[in-house]
Amino acid sequence: MSQDVIGLLSDSHGDLAAFDAAYELLRGKGAQRFIFLGGRYTDLDEWILDRRERSRGGREYSGADFIQDVARWLAVTEQKPRPRSLSVSLDELKELDADPLLVREHFLRTPERDSLQYRDPAIPRKMLDMVGDTLCCLVHDKNDLNRDDLVNALVFIHGKESEPKLVQIGPRYFLSPGRLAGAAEQTCALLEREDRTLSFSAFQLDGKVVVERQQLLLDRRSKLTLK
């Protein structure tokens, strides 16, 4: 059986403790890769730095640490890219947990409108990702979606929502994990694939289920438009 488990996080707005709690919760539920939808684009980088510092026990960053980090970064960049629809192995998951530098390689992220990255032409405001054979469109604000996005993709994963949501409009689904900061409940979510079946669920950071696992009934007759 082919599987893929994806952790969904959004709108942390500087709350790195909430970001960390969501990551650990989703990893514990089997997430192999992650989508961070913005709501402070740089939180992912700051969280990685925080994990690295904690992994050193709080000691000062040394020249030896720098050399080790460069060697690890080169090792990661020289690896052949893996199709995002494929799962990682158990050994790779253990390596991911042990090395904060590798964690970033398992994240996709999108910028929010008030970030500098949103204005950077080198950084896409929206991303496409294949989950199995399903094309997903990732964006912080769903109002940034245009006609081509809506025609081509079947699943839209977005942030900027006060609570987790799974909304079906015609043959398309709109998913949001809710917010890690600035809402009544801090939440995150999972998108799971088993063979050709996708399902969505969402949780508070203490593990309480707020959206029971729901299956997406996808109409796969939709076609891509080519220009």
Side-chain angles (χ1 to χ4, degrees), residues 91-119:
D91 288 341
E92 286 172 316
L93 287 174
K94 291 179 179 177
E95 185 179 18
L96 172 64
D97 284 335
D99 188 346
L101 281 179
L102 296 179
V103 173
R104 188 186 284 109
E105 303 304 314
H106 291 259
F107 267 87
L108 293 177
R109 61 175 162 175
T110 57
E112 64 278 5
R113 286 189 180 186
D114 58 356
S115 68
L116 293 175
Q117 290 78 15
Y118 188 88
R119 297 167 177 80

Side-chain angles (χ1 to χ4, degrees), residues 5 46 57-58 63-64 87 93 100 124 132-133 138 160 166 199 216 218 220 223:
V5 184
E46 293 185 19
S87 302
L93 287 174
D133 60 356
L138 321 177
K160 206 176 180 183
L166 171 60
S199 59
L216 282 63
L218 296 168
R220 300 183 184 279
K223 303 295 183 181

Side-chain angles (χ1 to χ4, degrees), residues 169-184:
I169 301 177
R172 295 167 182 82
Y173 284 87
F174 295 79
L175 322 179
S176 176
R179 300 171 66 95
L180 290 174

Side-chain angles (χ1 to χ4, degrees), residues 9-208:
L9 308 88
S10 189
D11 294 277
S12 47
H13 295 289
D15 192 338
L16 300 187
F19 197 112
D20 192 64
Y23 173 80
E24 294 296 342
L25 174 67
L26 297 171
R27 277 286 293 110
K29 292 183 177 296
Q32 302 148 323
R33 57 195 184 93
F34 300 85
I35 294 171
F36 176 48
L37 297 154
R40 206 175 87 162
Y41 185 88
T42 56
D43 279 354
L44 174 59
D45 304 305
E46 293 185 19
W47 173 70
I48 294 290
L49 291 174
D50 183 64
R51 285 181 71 93
R52 290 173 63 198
E53 184 173 343
R54 283 185 280 139
S55 72
R56 296 196 304 270
R59 64 178 173 78
E60 186 177 351
Y61 191 70
S62 67
D65 291 324
F66 172 77
I67 292 172
Q68 187 178 50
D69 284 348
V70 170
R72 288 173 176 170
W73 180 81
L74 290 173
V76 169
T77 57
E78 289 170 359
Q79 291 175 358
K80 292 182 179 179
R82 172 197 308 277
R84 292 194 182 109
S85 60
L86 298 182
S87 302
V88 296
S89 69
L90 180 60
D91 288 341
E92 286 172 316
L93 287 174
K94 291 179 179 177
E95 185 179 18
L96 172 64
D97 284 335
D99 188 346
L101 281 179
L102 296 179
V103 173
R104 188 186 284 109
E105 303 304 314
H106 291 259
F107 267 87
L108 293 177
R109 61 175 162 175
T110 57
E112 64 278 5
R113 286 189 180 186
D114 58 356
S115 68
L116 293 175
Q117 290 78 15
Y118 188 88
R119 297 167 177 80
D120 186 341
I123 296 176
R125 296 176 178 180
K126 295 168 281 190
M127 297 190 72
L128 296 176
D129 188 30
M130 292 299 297
V131 180
D133 60 356
T134 301
L135 183 65
C136 301
C137 182
L138 321 177
V139 66
H140 177 251
D141 187 344
K142 62 181 180 294
N143 290 321
D144 280 342
L145 298 171
N146 58 34
R147 181 183 180 278
D148 287 342
D149 300 323
L150 296 171
V151 168
N152 288 332
L154 283 175
V155 175
F156 300 85
I157 305 172
H158 64 92
K160 206 176 180 183
E161 290 287 353
S162 60
E163 60 185 17
K165 289 185 178 180
L166 171 60
V167 177
Q168 182 178 7
I169 301 177
R172 295 167 182 82
Y173 284 87
F174 295 79
L175 322 179
S176 176
R179 300 171 66 95
L180 290 174
E185 295 180 345
Q186 295 172 291
T187 58
C188 55
L190 281 179
L191 179 62
E192 300 176 75
R193 176 183 66 87
E194 291 188 5
D195 296 328
R196 302 189 74 200
T197 300
L198 297 184
S199 59
F200 173 82
S201 54
F203 313 88
Q204 293 182 9
L205 299 188
D206 61 3
K208 179 183 177 182

Side-chain angles (χ1 to χ4, degrees), residues 202-216:
F203 313 88
Q204 293 182 9
L205 299 188
D206 61 3
K208 179 183 177 182
V209 177
V210 292
V211 177
E212 296 284 351
R213 186 173 181 180
Q214 298 183 31
Q215 184 174 328
L216 282 63

